[in-house]
Amino acid sequence: MSRSLRHGALAATATAFSFVSLSACAAGNNAETLKIRPDNAATSVGSIKVQNVNVITQPQGGEDGPAAVVATLFNEGSEREVLEAVTLPGSNAEVKLQAAGGKGPIVVPAGGQVIIGGKGNAAAVIENGGEAARDGDVQQVVFKLSRTGDVALGASVFPAEGFFKDFGPSPKAEAPARQPSPKPSSSASGEAAGEAGAQGDAAAQGTGDAAVPAAH
């Protein structure tokens, strides 16, 4: 084989190998495998990366009730970060933070990550979610971290349905149905009437006896 043919064969082999390698990487890290939707908001500031950010509202569109901010925060630094607050610029909505264990702040450990939203994870609940976000809109969200400061980005708003069903807020509590006052049974009513009548007769008899003068 000539030198030019050998070079061409080697080049073709290298090119094919590179495509196979890229395909293997894509298969192992694609959106479906990592449960990451490509349209989710993501950004980074310093050693902090914020990914998979969305605002999840009640399942029924336009229904009042709490909403939730879901996100994954990565800390590539050597110091832990504390998520001090999550705010929604342009609204008066208050976001209540809760750690996964229910107590203490939400901490992003050094070299680690924290997931916000979903069962067993930390939570960021928007109390008046119906006023803060509308399905299909993009809501500005700011994560305030103890060392990095503010990390802001625009998050899409979705109802808690389909892919987002398990990441949404707790369903709005329904008011208990008003129960009618219990009515006494006919037998109980009859007994009560009978007792009242007997008491009346006894009272009348006592009055009559008291009216008769004693014999001397």
Side-chain angles (χ1 to χ4, degrees), residues 50-101:
V50 183
Q51 297 180 357
N52 306 329
V53 184
N54 287 291
V55 176
I56 312 300
T57 61
Q58 292 290 319
Q60 301 298 327
E63 185 175 300
D64 291 334
V69 176
V70 299
T72 304
L73 279 65
F74 298 89
N75 181 4
E76 297 180 346
S78 59
E79 300 286 343
R80 77 170 195 164
E81 293 263 13
V82 176
L83 181 61
E84 298 179 340
V86 174
T87 59
L88 307 177
S91 75
N92 295 322
E94 180 180 356
V95 181
K96 183 178 180 180
L97 301 180
Q98 182 175 338

Side-chain angles (χ1 to χ4, degrees), residues 122-183:
V125 179
I126 308 170
E127 297 293 342
N128 47 339
E131 300 177 7
R134 292 184 178 182
D135 295 342
D137 286 355
V138 174
Q139 171 65 52
Q140 289 297 312
V141 180
V142 177
F143 297 86
K144 184 177 181 180
L145 293 151
S146 57
R147 299 178 65 85
T148 302
D150 291 352
V151 180
L153 72 171
S156 297
V157 182
F158 297 100
E161 298 175 342
F163 180 88
F164 299 104
K165 181 179 180 180
D166 296 331
F167 295 90
S170 299
K172 183 179 66 174
E174 298 291 341
R178 186 174 182 179
Q179 299 294 332
S181 300
K183 294 181 179 180

Side-chain angles (χ1 to χ4, degrees), residues 28-44:
N29 299 283
N30 61 16
E32 182 177 357
T33 303
L34 298 179
K35 299 297 183 181
I36 298 174
R37 293 169 60 96
D39 55 347
N40 287 354
T43 190
S44 62

Side-chain angles (χ1 to χ4, degrees), residues 181-210:
S181 300
K183 294 181 179 180
S185 62
S186 57
S187 59
S189 300
E191 292 175 0
E195 291 177 0
Q199 292 176 357
D201 293 341
Q205 183 177 358
T207 304
D209 294 341

